Amino acid sequence: MLTMSSDPKVVGHGFETWRRALIETGVRDGLLWRLPEQRIVFRNQADNRSESLGERTALGTDPTGGYWAVQINEADTPGNANVTTGIAVNEQGAPFLIRQGRLNSPIAGNPHILEVDFRRLTNLEPTPVLNGDTSGKKREWHIVTRLDVDAEDIRDATGRFVDRCALARLRDAEVDGDLPDTAPVEGLGRDEQAEGYTVGPRIAVDAKEVRRLQGEVWQQLALLLRSAGILIDKPRHAAGYEVDAVIAAPAGALLVEIKTGNSAADVYGGMGQLQLYPRLLPRLGDHRLVLLLPGLPQPALVRAIDECGVLLHTYRRQSPDAYAKVEFDDAFLGLCGLD
């Protein structure tokens, strides 16, 4: 059980903690910020040219920033439950960022996604909040993130919530047949030989770094495709398995697995995922399978991938800097439907 806070200090500090966590690793790109690791973007909704976040923040999974999943808005009066976002505390005083289970339609005149549908479309359950109702209206509140935790945990929790909101909007639009125009309707191993062989040492890569690099590749690919009107999505199984990318290419849908290396281990992992996902998500069964690596692996692996019927393509980051430009091979871009 949480209690909505009306203490200006608690509320102000809570929102500032949340905004600071996002900005800390957010990559400024034009009028928005990107969080590659969480694969979301956000901006100051009131003034998108501002270098800081204000009381209204728009967040989404569309890398173009043209289609926002949810807004996190701070009320002018702390504790005002008429505003969709607030700060609540538990019995021990730990602060939480909470949001109502409702999403306004971006299309004038269309129905909003309200509490019952929000639960159904996001698979999220509300949390009881004292002082969370107004004028006899029972409002449903959902935890976005706990705030007395590491900034990385705040970003991760926020990313998950934004992803669920984006999924809700997509599912709702699919049912209505009315998708918004901008919506999305990882050292090298040696060849194997008969005799024993030695695999050279590899530099360990932290899982966080892998997620960030993979997120950068995904966001830049999605930006290219969506800017050209080509749909890209990240289907997810109910058990939590998430596909890297499904692309609605003109010549046929693609199921893409992205890796941040091209070692034997990376290839084994990617190939296994490409074989499993169509069985976990049957609607992907007729998609062509694509393994996307940052360079070609050893020749024996290239041959094996081809014999499995999987298309192998590559990308290259221009520098090791954060959010460096990613270049995809021409054949892959053509496969996706780009000139």
Side-chain angles (χ1 to χ4, degrees):
M1 175 69 72
L2 301 178
T3 300
M4 178 79 76
S5 177
S6 58
D7 185 329
K9 291 183 178 179
V10 172
V11 173
H13 183 265
F15 276 105
E16 183 58 32
T17 297
W18 177 73
R19 296 184 188 112
R20 188 166 57 244
L22 265 59
I23 292 289
E24 182 180 79
T25 59
V27 179
R28 186 67 164 162
D29 185 13
L31 301 179
L32 49 79
W33 285 269
R34 303 185 183 279
L35 285 178
E37 189 175 335
Q38 291 75 25
R39 299 190 187 187
I40 65 171
V41 297
F42 60 94
R43 76 178 182 197
N44 184 329
Q45 186 72 345
D47 178 8
N48 57 21
R49 296 184 180 277
S50 173
E51 293 296 322
S52 62
L53 289 179
E55 295 179 349
R56 298 174 58 207
T57 302
L59 307 99
T61 59
D62 175 10
T64 69
Y67 178 62
W68 300 102
V70 63
Q71 286 192 31
I72 301 294
N73 298 332
E74 181 179 356
D76 293 333
T77 303
N80 181 0
N82 285 313
V83 178
T84 55
T85 314
I87 303 295
V89 296
N90 64 12
E91 294 178 354
Q92 291 73 41
F96 293 77
L97 176 65
I98 59 173
R99 195 189 188 282
Q100 288 184 36
R102 55 185 296 140
L103 298 170
N104 291 340
S105 172
I107 303 175
N110 280 14
H112 304 316
I113 299 175
L114 303 181
E115 288 84 356
V116 173
D117 285 332
F118 184 88
R119 276 187 272 121
R120 175 178 58 83
L121 295 168
T122 62
N123 295 321
L124 294 174
E125 289 298 321
T127 296
V129 177
L130 294 176
N131 301 332
D133 302 332
T134 58
S135 304
K137 179 175 177 56
K138 182 173 177 56
R139 302 178 184 276
E140 292 189 356
W141 295 90
H142 296 260
I143 293 174
V144 178
T145 180
R146 185 167 176 149
L147 294 169
D148 61 342
V149 294
D150 291 342
E152 182 180 351
D153 294 330
I154 293 175
R155 290 190 292 272
D156 285 347
T158 300
R160 289 191 294 270
F161 185 81
V162 171
D163 191 57
R164 291 299 185 95
C165 291
L167 180 62
R169 289 192 184 277
L170 179 61
R171 286 174 172 171
D172 184 62
E174 285 176 338
V175 170
D176 292 342
D178 188 20
L179 282 171
D181 292 341
T182 54
V185 216
E186 293 175 295
L188 298 175
R190 295 168 57 94
D191 289 353
E192 295 199 28
Q193 304 171 9
E195 67 273 12
Y197 62 90
T198 302
V199 177
R202 294 182 64 204
I203 299 175
V205 181
D206 183 72
K208 174 183 175 183
E209 180 72 1
V210 169
R211 292 200 308 272
R212 183 185 67 80
L213 293 174
Q214 191 182 60
E216 288 182 10
V217 175
W218 188 91
Q219 283 197 345
Q220 295 193 45
L221 175 59
L223 185 59
L224 277 173
L225 295 176
R226 290 181 181 170
S227 297
I230 300 171
L231 306 185
I232 178 173
D233 193 14
K234 296 186 301 162
R236 174 183 290 166
H237 187 273
Y241 312 115
E242 185 176 274
V243 174
D244 279 344
V246 168
I247 299 171
L254 309 174
L255 170 56
V256 182
E257 182 62 29
I258 303 169
K259 291 298 177 184
T260 59
N262 58 354
S263 69
D266 293 305
V267 172
Y268 298 158
M271 290 294 289
Q273 288 165 293
L274 286 170
Q275 300 301 320
L276 287 172
Y277 285 146
R279 289 157 178 79
L280 292 168
L281 298 160
R283 70 185 179 92
L284 304 179
D286 61 348
H287 291 39
R288 284 183 291 175
L289 307 180
V290 180
L291 182 61
L292 190 59
L293 304 177
L296 292 175
Q298 291 295 301
L301 290 171
V302 173
R303 291 193 296 270
I305 293 169
D306 180 64
E307 290 171 2
C308 290
V310 173
L311 303 174
L312 175 61
H313 289 281
T314 61
Y315 66 88
R316 182 175 68 88
R317 298 176 76 246
Q318 287 189 342
S319 77
D321 299 333
Y323 215 78
K325 181 177 175 56
V326 176
E327 293 181 342
F328 301 92
D329 71 52
D330 290 340
F332 176 65
L333 295 178
L335 183 66
C336 293
L338 293 171
D339 294 332

